[in-house]
Amino acid sequence: MGRETTITLDEDVAAKLDREAQRTGVTPDEIVNATLRRTLPEAEIQPRPFRVRARNLGPMTGLDADCTERLLNQLEGPYWK
């Protein structure tokens, strides 16, 4: 016995499923499972590669980015720790 899951079908899909079940004498569950087994490998969604779009923020006047501690002191104050 498989896992029970509730899905909502559009009316046209449900009608096609009912017609196919009547025509073939196969249960709707068997039709859905067979169809998903055939199509899911083709329908796997490949994630797009993550990309960072760098942009020039211009000069940061008054901030010293060479020393992290000094920069944090400038931005957050002496109690940043």
Side-chain angles (χ1 to χ4, degrees):
M1 175 141 194
R3 183 177 105 189
E4 284 193 27
T5 302
T6 301
I7 61 171
T8 303
L9 301 175
D10 292 339
E11 289 297 323
D12 63 316
V13 175
K16 288 179 183 180
L17 181 59
D18 290 340
R19 281 194 304 270
E20 186 64 14
Q22 287 177 352
R23 186 183 74 77
T24 61
V26 177
T27 68
D29 287 353
E30 292 172 315
I31 294 170
V32 169
N33 282 319
T35 302
L36 290 174
R37 280 189 189 100
R38 270 195 326 269
T39 59
L40 278 179
E42 297 171 29
E44 285 184 26
I45 298 172
Q46 297 296 325
R48 291 183 294 166
F50 179 76
R51 296 181 195 263
V52 175
R53 292 190 182 115
R55 60 184 176 154
N56 186 354
L57 298 177
M60 297 178 63
T61 58
L63 297 177
D64 181 7
D66 291 334
C67 177
T68 306
E69 186 170 353
R70 196 173 319 133
L71 179 62
L72 285 171
N73 275 326
Q74 289 176 308
L75 296 174
E76 301 290 333
Y79 303 108
W80 62 267
K81 294 180 184 181

